[in-house]
Each structure stands twice: as structure tokens, then as C-alpha cells.
């Protein structure tokens, strides 16, 4: 019948809990929608939604949200209220986008009215950050001698995040901080 078309993917049952606070969006061909998205504090039409942390262009407002009218998850460059077509979508009515199976997202083609399957596309939860991290191996030259940098050491997670990501403070010695720099898309001390 109509439900036998997906023989490759058997019917599955998943426990539903809180949506992940951070997800990673991966597309093989499209780099724009790929990246780290943070769970928004508010809901969008009764569902969770995510905003991309690092923006490649100043006017980018990448969002990952559910559209009840189309019963699809959308990845959109211009926010949740744009009238333009999304960059990608997945026709799944699931609690959060991490339930969409790998390869089930459709990307907009070069012609704006065409859609192509994205075989390796996925939205996966990012693990919760560790309570402590070890930063080591950084060296500098002083008087022709290689010395370890003073910011090497164990850093512990602080209570308050910075731009939606964990922040770490060096446990001993000088007060160094390890945090994610969103504009540069890199971790900095």
C-alpha cells in the first residue's frame, strides 16, 4: 500500500524529550545552511526553532524552523517570516529537526523552482559541553628558547554561557578565559 514505499527505513519509535540546545546542520553541497544552530528561547508557531550562530554575510538570518501550514521543517536564510522560498526543507512532522532521517532534506537547486535530494544532509544534536577542558601544547619563543605559554592548563566551565556557547576559565594561575568568537567562527583565549 501507500505506506510500503519506504522499505529501506522500517517504522521506528523514539522517546520524545526536550529539543537539543545546539544542533549541527550538515549539507554536502550547500555551505550556506551548514553550521551550528542554537535553540531560540521563544517558540515559533508552537514549535522550537534554531538560529545559526555564525553568519557568513551581514544580512544573513539563517533559521531552522517548522512550518505548520506546509508540515515541513525549513532552513531559511531570511528568518522565519520571509515570503521567499527556503534554502532547504524536509517534509516531516516531527518534534524537532534531529528526527529527520539522514538524506531526507531537499535543497533548492540553481534554478529557484527546482529541488534536489541531499543524500548526506543531516541535523544532529551537539553534545553538551564538558565541565572541564585541557588546553596544552602552546609554545612561544623567548630569548631563542621555546617556552610553554602561561595560558596552557585546565579550564573549568563557567555557569553563564557566552553567545550561546560554554565559556571556560583557567583553574589556576593567571585568569585566562576560553570562549567561542562568533564573528571569527573560532575558539579564542
Amino acid at each position: 500500500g501507500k505506506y510500503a514505499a519506504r522499505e529501506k527505513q522500517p517504522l521506528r519509535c523514539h522517546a520524545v524529550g526536550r529539543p537539543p540546545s545546539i544542533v549541527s546542520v550538515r549539507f554536502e553541497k550547500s555551505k550556506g545552511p551548514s553550521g551550528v544552530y542554537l535553540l531560540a528561547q521563544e517558540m515559533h508557531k508552537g514549535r522550537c526553532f534554531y538560529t545559526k550562530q555564525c553568519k557568513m554575510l551581514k544580512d544573513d538570518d539563517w533559521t531552522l524552523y517548522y512550518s505548520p501550514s506546509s508540515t515541513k521543517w525549513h532552513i531559511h536564510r531570511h528568518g522565519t517570516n520571509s515570503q521567499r522560498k527556503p534554502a532547504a526543507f524536509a517534509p516531516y512532522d516531527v518534534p524537532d529537526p534531529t528526527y529527520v532521517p539522514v538524506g531526507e532534506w531537499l535543497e533548492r537547486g540553481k534554478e529557484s523552482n527546482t529541488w534536489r535530494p541531499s543524500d548526506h544532509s543531516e541535523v544532529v544534536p551537539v553534545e553538551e559541553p564538558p565541565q572541564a577542558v585541557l588546553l596544552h601544547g602552546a609554545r612561544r619563543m623567548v630569548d631563542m628558547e621555546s617556552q610553554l605559554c602561561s595560558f596552557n592548563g585546565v579550564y573549568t566551565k563557567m555557569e553563564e554561557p557566552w553567545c550561546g556557547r560554554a565559556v571556560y576559565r583557567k583553574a589556576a594561575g593567571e585568569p585566562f578565559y576560553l570562549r567561542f568568537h562568533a564573528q571569527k567562527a573560532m575558539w579564542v583565549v
Side-chain angles (χ1 to χ4, degrees):
K2 99 180 197 185
Y3 298 105
R6 296 193 169 264
E7 293 174 17
K8 291 188 248 176
Q9 296 178 356
L11 184 62
R12 294 171 283 175
C13 183
H14 296 280
V16 176
R18 287 191 52 200
S21 57
I22 304 174
V23 296
S24 175
V25 174
R26 300 178 196 144
F27 279 87
E28 193 172 34
K29 295 176 183 160
S30 297
K31 301 300 179 212
S34 295
V36 174
Y37 287 70
L38 306 174
L39 181 65
Q41 297 274 333
E42 64 276 3
M43 303 287 270
H44 173 72
K45 297 185 179 178
R47 297 276 181 111
C48 66
F49 80 98
Y50 295 84
T51 58
K52 189 173 180 181
Q53 182 174 32
C54 299
K55 297 169 170 74
M56 292 176 9
L57 301 173
K58 189 177 181 180
D59 63 341
D60 281 354
D61 186 18
W62 285 100
T63 53
L64 172 56
Y65 65 94
Y66 182 75
S67 169
S69 60
S70 68
T71 63
K72 297 173 185 164
W73 279 92
H74 290 198
I75 300 177
H76 209 293
R77 182 178 175 184
H78 302 287
T80 58
N81 296 319
S82 177
Q83 299 302 312
R84 298 178 186 176
K85 291 182 180 177
F89 73 88
Y92 282 82
D93 183 5
V94 291
D96 75 63
T98 62
Y99 290 100
V100 175
V102 173
E104 292 294 311
W105 289 86
L106 293 167
E107 294 180 81
R108 190 169 38 178
K110 293 201 186 283
E111 302 296 322
S112 64
N113 292 328
T114 63
W115 296 94
R116 65 177 184 258
S118 184
D119 296 337
H120 303 288
S121 60
E122 62 183 347
V123 176
V124 296
V126 173
E127 292 181 27
E128 289 297 317
Q131 293 299 310
V133 295
L134 173 63
L135 185 63
H136 67 94
R139 302 184 84 74
R140 63 186 174 142
M141 295 300 288
V142 176
D143 296 327
M144 302 297 287
E145 186 178 313
S146 177
Q147 295 180 352
L148 287 173
C149 293
S150 59
F151 59 82
N152 287 309
V154 174
Y155 288 70
T156 54
K157 184 178 157 196
M158 299 180 67
E159 279 189 41
E160 292 297 315
W162 175 268
C163 294
R165 294 268 188 111
V167 177
Y168 296 90
R169 185 175 198 266
K170 188 172 179 203
E174 297 178 56
F176 286 106
Y177 296 88
L178 175 64
R179 68 175 177 85
F180 189 78
H181 192 289
Q183 280 86 18
K184 293 182 180 178
M186 62 190 294
W187 287 88
V188 297
V189 176

